């Protein structure tokens, strides 16, 4: 899988390196698997952040935890608010935060990159997208959909 990706520039670790890393860790979350380290830059930034937080907590590295907490993206904050609302049983609020997280994800040119690590001109403008969606909803109510009446 990794070797097929154009964005992957590197070599895979030898099987013995993977085996030794797994034997050393013995289920310890503080040590990252060599394959995880290769995959980490290629996954969604919010998932990557959760993995880094879990690893830093296991190591007891509070400097990294503070830094990760300080540089949360708006999308990550919306996802965390969704989880909090869902845990508290506030379904309407959870739905609102989930939609907001999805919306913020659609603005990003590449959700695998950290916010600010590339030119923001590649992202969609929030004001434009919100306006476009309002106009689209208004027109859908007025004119319906092309699929209306098709069963």
């Amino acid at each position: 899988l990794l070797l097929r990706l154009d964005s992957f520039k590197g070599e895979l670790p030898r099987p013995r390196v993977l085996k030794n890393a797994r034997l050393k860790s013995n289920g310890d979350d503080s040590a990252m698997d060599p394959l995880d380290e290769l995959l980490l830059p290629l996954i969604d930034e919010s998932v990557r952040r959760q993995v880094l937080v879990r690893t830093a907590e296991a190591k007891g590295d509070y400097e990294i935890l503070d830094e990760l907490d300080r540089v949360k993206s708006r999308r990550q904050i919306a996802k965390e608010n969704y989880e909090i609302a869902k845990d508290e049983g506030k379904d309407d609020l959870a739905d609102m935060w989930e939609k907001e997280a999805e919306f913020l994800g659609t603005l990003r040119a590449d959700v695998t990159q950290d916010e600010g690590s590339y030119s923001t001109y590649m992202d969609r403008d929030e004001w434009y997208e919100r306006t476009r969606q309002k106009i689209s909803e208004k027109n859908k109510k007025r004119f319906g959909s092309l699929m209306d009446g098709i069963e």
Side-chain angles (χ1 to χ4, degrees), residues 8-143:
F8 178 69
K9 308 285 187 242
E11 294 182 8
L12 294 176
R14 305 289 301 167
R16 70 175 166 270
V17 172
L18 294 173
K19 184 178 179 184
N20 289 341
R22 288 193 180 116
L23 290 174
K24 274 185 190 176
S25 71
N26 286 333
D28 183 19
D29 284 342
S30 65
M32 264 196 165
D33 188 277
L35 279 179
D36 292 343
E37 290 178 14
L38 292 174
L39 287 171
L40 209 55
L42 305 173
I43 60 175
D44 183 277
E45 61 96 11
S46 61
V47 176
R48 178 175 53 248
R49 190 184 162 287
Q50 290 172 352
V51 169
L52 292 173
V53 165
R54 187 179 60 220
T55 304
E57 284 174 346
K59 287 182 178 179
D61 195 340
Y62 298 106
E63 285 182 31
I64 291 177
L65 282 171
D66 289 342
E67 179 67 17
L68 289 169
D69 193 47
R70 191 179 59 76
V71 295
K72 287 181 191 173
S73 67
R74 290 176 50 211
R75 180 170 169 248
Q76 182 64 38
I77 293 169
K79 283 185 167 196
E80 289 177 3
N81 287 339
Y82 162 75
E83 290 295 329
I84 292 168
K86 192 171 101 178
D87 290 344
E88 293 175 354
K90 300 176 181 176
D91 294 334
D92 292 339
L93 187 60
D95 289 342
M96 189 270 303
W97 280 117
E98 184 178 35
K99 287 178 185 170
E100 182 68 10
E102 285 179 23
F103 172 75
L104 292 171
T106 63
L107 297 178
R108 303 275 300 277
D110 185 359
V111 293
T112 64
Q113 299 296 313
D114 290 324
E115 218 171 59
S117 66
Y118 59 92
S119 174
T120 56
Y121 291 112
M122 296 174 73
D123 290 340
R124 295 179 186 170
D125 291 324
E126 183 178 350
W127 67 268
Y128 176 81
E129 277 301 304
R130 289 200 191 276
T131 304
R132 188 190 65 74
Q133 287 180 357
K134 283 180 186 175
I135 291 170
S136 177
E137 280 298 314
K138 194 183 298 183
N139 287 337
K140 194 182 292 182
K141 287 177 185 173
R142 186 185 311 161
F143 300 112

